[in-house]
Amino acid sequence: MEWRAPNSPTACGFPPLPTHLSRANLCGVVQVNLTRHLFAFFPQLEGQLVEVEATDVAGVVRALEARAPGIGFYLCDERGRLRPHVNIFIGATIIRDRRNLSDAVTAGDKVSILQALSGG
């Protein structure tokens, strides 16, 4: 079964993520590591070094959405909040703001997006 983003006037099927920028509006290139399971839904990201420019986690998600349409809605609900089965780490630290994704990222950070899997 193939996952598809719902039809919506917004680019990724949910209200735009916050556009506030931190760290004096300076973007830095961050490396994004994705759980292997996500490649089944977004094969265009598989085998790539995924690097994006962003100042916060919301910016990381927006940049991923531009490269792989639908991933933003897969990670976030219709209000732009991180879904319960998704965790995002900056380095080894889990993000604190699951609602607005305002945790700051700086050039050289490694952002890991993990999806919990369950079943038997």
Side-chain angles (χ1 to χ4, degrees):
M1 180 171 156
E2 182 176 321
W3 181 86
R4 295 177 189 255
N7 293 331
S8 168
T10 61
C12 47
F14 59 93
L17 293 170
T19 57
H20 65 279
L21 299 176
S22 57
R23 308 250 179 169
N25 296 332
L26 298 175
C27 282
V29 175
V30 300
Q31 183 179 340
V32 182
N33 299 308
L34 302 170
T35 303
R36 169 171 268 153
H37 173 74
L38 290 172
F39 299 138
F41 299 102
F42 306 100
Q44 64 270 44
L45 298 175
E46 188 171 12
Q48 291 188 41
L49 174 62
V50 181
E51 293 182 326
V52 300
E53 286 188 17
T55 59
D56 57 17
V57 175
V60 171
V61 173
R62 280 193 301 276
L64 287 173
E65 177 65 26
R67 292 175 75 171
I71 196 168
F73 191 73
Y74 196 84
L75 301 174
C76 300
D77 65 17
E78 55 280 342
R79 292 175 275 170
R81 296 177 182 171
L82 197 60
R83 292 187 185 275
H85 65 278
V86 176
N87 287 307
I88 299 179
F89 291 82
I90 301 169
T93 306
I94 195 164
I95 65 166
R96 294 181 186 177
D97 184 7
R98 297 179 62 86
R99 177 174 283 190
N100 297 312
L101 308 180
S102 65
D103 294 66
V105 295
T106 58
D109 280 347
K110 293 185 192 291
V111 175
S112 299
I113 300 177
L114 309 173
Q115 178 187 19
L117 298 177
S118 62

